Amino acid sequence: MKMIVNVSGMTCQMCAKHTREAIEGVEGTSNVEVDLPSGQATFDLGSASLDAVIAAIEEEGYQAQPA
């Protein structure tokens, strides 16, 4: 299932990279793309839970919520 999450607090490409890596680190996610200008991350949720993805993003220091 394709998901979109709004991520706030990203200010540079390194922020976007850290967000992408955080999402990729959640088992079951795939096809992760983070768009810095829009502040959105899109990914296939697969067997992962959305709560786990949001927690992983927030562990990196960003705020996240479903779009």
Side-chain angles (χ1 to χ4, degrees), residues 8-57:
S8 59
M10 296 188 300
T11 58
C12 65
Q13 287 299 325
M14 285 304 291
C15 295
K17 178 179 184 270
H18 291 150
T19 300
R20 180 180 48 79
E21 290 173 347
I23 298 168
E24 289 174 340
V26 177
E27 179 136 2
T29 60
S30 61
N31 301 318
V32 180
E33 295 179 22
V34 177
D35 183 64
L36 181 62
S38 70
Q40 291 189 324
T42 60
F43 53 92
D44 290 326
L45 192 57
S47 62
S49 77
L50 184 56
D51 289 339
V53 172
I54 289 174
I57 294 169

